[in-house]
Amino acid sequence: ASFLWAVSVALMALAALTSFLRNTVITLISIVITLAIAETALGYLPALIAKKPDTGINTAKDKSIYAYFDSAQTYNTPAYWHLGPFGSQPKPGVFTAKKIASNGDVLYDTVFTIGPDGFRVTPKYGDQQDHRINFLGDSFTFGEGVADNQTMAYYVGDLVNAQKMAAKQLAPLQVKNYGIHGWGIHQSLAILQSDLDTKANLNFVLTAPWHASRVACADFFSLGSPKYELEKDGLVKRDGYCRSFGWVEHSPKALRGLITSSKVFNLIQDSLLVINDQDKQLALYLGVLKTIAAESKKRGEELVVGYIKADDQWFVGTYNNAKVMAAIKDMGIKVIDMTLADKNELLERKYYIHELDKHPTGEANLARAKLLLSNIAK
């Protein structure tokens, strides 16, 4: 909105100083001012909708505590992110990650090591490969907020290879972490269908039903990620990129950032390029999982899905956690409940970083690693 107001002022100054193409400039002024008004209104709309009536009570306890990233850290900055073939992805390097609460609590203070291929580094034992597990998923798989040696992939590799060394088995288990912040299972499928060296014995997908909105391109951060369309046979086929008019993600970074931050642009995207019905989102989500299973079978690889339940109130259509899990099992996919609680709302405090950040702790990742290994002992 600020940019558009500045452009309108510049155009008015131009119209006042010269008569050259004045009618055209006046038309442009009208268009830009209209867009600026729309941007401003849409920017304030969420705050107006969320505003609660004044209770007449002024107390510090009413003030909400929020989380923010430390200004000195390098994660979640332009130095970290770039738009790759699968959507937003980290650049190679070692990055600091520090998140703080407004009350002074440090949610996490750690380091993310990103390999040359743009994925998080996981343990590697020697050059000879015995078996390999691909870990596919989002920030839970990546290990948001925990160190390189506290991710689920790391713990699985560490536990298995410790046993191999004790038994004097030299060939190690290789683990590969393909999880990225904000990703969904559509990116997992795209990775398996890509030219990357993803050959493995087992593909492990850590997922939750909230991936459905990402698969359906409903989240703004899904821009540029792979888009899929549900077929009559329940499988999906590739259909371009999420929230994309083609030229946007190929624009210069500064211009792309300006366009994608536009409220009007996001409104157009939501209207034309997004599936908003949750039942349809979940149907597409299940189609992606079915296609991952078909892809794994074609490659001669096993597939295991680790399912984390959503809060019961998350569902607004006909689905619930039990129905989603049943649908996955009905497709012949092995499913492990990795919620670590009967309901997500009852998850013990030791299993998430902070009340302001429900990403899993190292202890949760270790518990899920052991749970996976107990189900795939062979």
Side-chain angles (χ1 to χ4, degrees):
S2 300
F3 173 79
L4 290 170
W5 284 118
V7 170
S8 64
V9 170
L11 289 172
M12 284 188 280
L14 179 65
L17 293 172
T18 178
S19 60
F20 180 70
L21 295 177
R22 178 167 290 176
N23 290 338
T24 302
V25 172
I26 291 173
T27 302
L28 283 174
I29 291 171
S30 301
I31 294 171
V32 174
I33 287 179
T34 301
L35 289 172
I37 292 171
E39 283 288 336
T40 304
L42 289 170
Y44 281 109
L45 186 62
L48 292 173
I49 293 173
K51 189 175 181 180
K52 297 179 180 178
D54 187 2
T55 60
I57 302 173
N58 185 10
T59 169
K61 290 182 179 180
D62 286 346
K63 296 178 180 178
S64 62
I65 300 173
Y66 59 91
Y68 63 94
F69 290 105
D70 184 83
S71 59
Q73 59 119 53
T74 52
Y75 159 60
N76 202 32
T77 67
Y80 183 82
W81 290 107
H82 76 107
L83 190 61
F86 308 109
S88 295
Q89 190 169 347
K91 298 175 184 177
V94 179
F95 300 89
T96 56
K98 187 174 183 179
K99 197 172 186 180
I100 306 170
S102 56
N103 65 354
D105 289 351
V106 176
L107 278 65
Y108 57 77
D109 186 359
T110 189
V111 169
F112 299 154
T113 306
I114 310 300
D117 60 356
F119 296 99
R120 193 166 193 183
V121 169
T122 48
K124 185 176 182 181
Y125 299 85
D127 296 321
Q128 184 181 0
Q129 179 172 314
D130 186 6
H131 295 92
R132 172 174 165 174
I133 301 178
N134 291 327
F135 287 80
L136 302 152
D138 61 4
S139 54
F140 279 45
T141 302
F142 174 89
E144 177 86 13
V146 300
D148 295 337
N149 63 350
Q150 293 179 309
T151 67
M152 185 180 174
Y154 181 95
Y155 282 129
V156 168
D158 196 47
L159 290 169
V160 171
N161 287 304
Q163 293 176 354
K164 282 178 170 285
M165 291 175 67
K168 297 184 179 179
Q169 297 175 351
L170 299 179
L173 168 72
Q174 303 290 338
V175 293
K176 182 61 185 177
N177 188 341
Y178 286 114
I180 298 292
H181 330 260
W183 278 22
I185 56 170
H186 57 311
Q187 277 133 325
S188 300
L189 175 57
I191 285 172
L192 294 178
Q193 293 176 333
S194 73
D195 294 330
L196 293 175
D197 178 16
T198 58
K199 183 62 180 174
N201 301 87
L202 173 68
N203 294 315
F204 172 72
V205 178
L206 185 63
T207 186
W210 60 75
H211 284 171
S213 63
R214 301 175 186 185
V215 170
C217 307
D219 298 306
F220 73 92
F221 50 82
S222 65
L223 173 72
S225 65
K227 183 181 179 184
Y228 287 92
E229 183 180 45
L230 188 62
E231 301 277 81
K232 291 181 179 179
D233 59 2
L235 298 172
V236 297
K237 71 172 183 179
R238 185 67 184 269
D239 184 31
Y241 294 90
C242 277
R243 307 177 73 86
S244 172
F245 292 102
W247 55 272
V248 176
E249 67 265 18
H250 296 109
S251 302
K253 192 171 184 178
L255 178 61
R256 185 172 72 242
L258 185 67
I259 294 170
T260 56
S261 66
S262 164
K263 306 296 183 187
V264 171
F265 180 76
N266 287 326
L267 187 64
I268 293 171
Q269 286 181 316
D270 288 341
S271 301
L272 300 179
L273 304 173
V274 169
I275 298 172
N276 291 304
D277 181 271
Q278 191 184 78
D279 278 7
K280 291 181 179 178
Q281 291 178 352
L282 284 163
L284 180 61
Y285 165 83
L286 292 169
V288 172
L289 281 175
K290 184 176 182 179
T291 309
I292 291 175
E295 187 72 27
S296 297
K297 184 177 181 180
K298 182 175 69 176
R299 292 154 50 118
E301 300 167 355
E302 297 292 330
L303 172 65
V304 173
V305 169
Y307 183 87
I308 298 175
K309 297 174 184 173
D311 289 354
D312 289 340
Q313 65 180 11
W314 180 86
F315 295 94
V316 296
T318 63
Y319 281 90
N320 54 40
N321 285 303
K323 185 176 178 180
V324 174
M325 289 186 71
I328 298 172
K329 291 176 181 177
D330 287 345
M331 293 187 289
I333 299 172
K334 183 176 179 61
V335 184
I336 306 170
D337 185 347
M338 289 199 163
T339 312
L340 302 180
D342 290 336
K343 300 176 68 174
N344 194 47
E345 296 91 325
L346 302 176
L347 188 65
E348 290 184 60
R349 175 63 185 83
K350 65 181 179 180
Y351 289 140
Y352 57 89
I353 290 173
H354 193 276
E355 289 296 336
L356 297 175
D357 191 321
K358 293 300 182 72
H359 285 99
T361 58
E363 189 170 355
N365 289 329
L366 177 58
R368 287 179 176 137
K370 291 179 177 178
L371 187 57
L372 173 62
L373 291 176
S374 69
N375 280 270
I376 58 166
K378 290 189 294 183

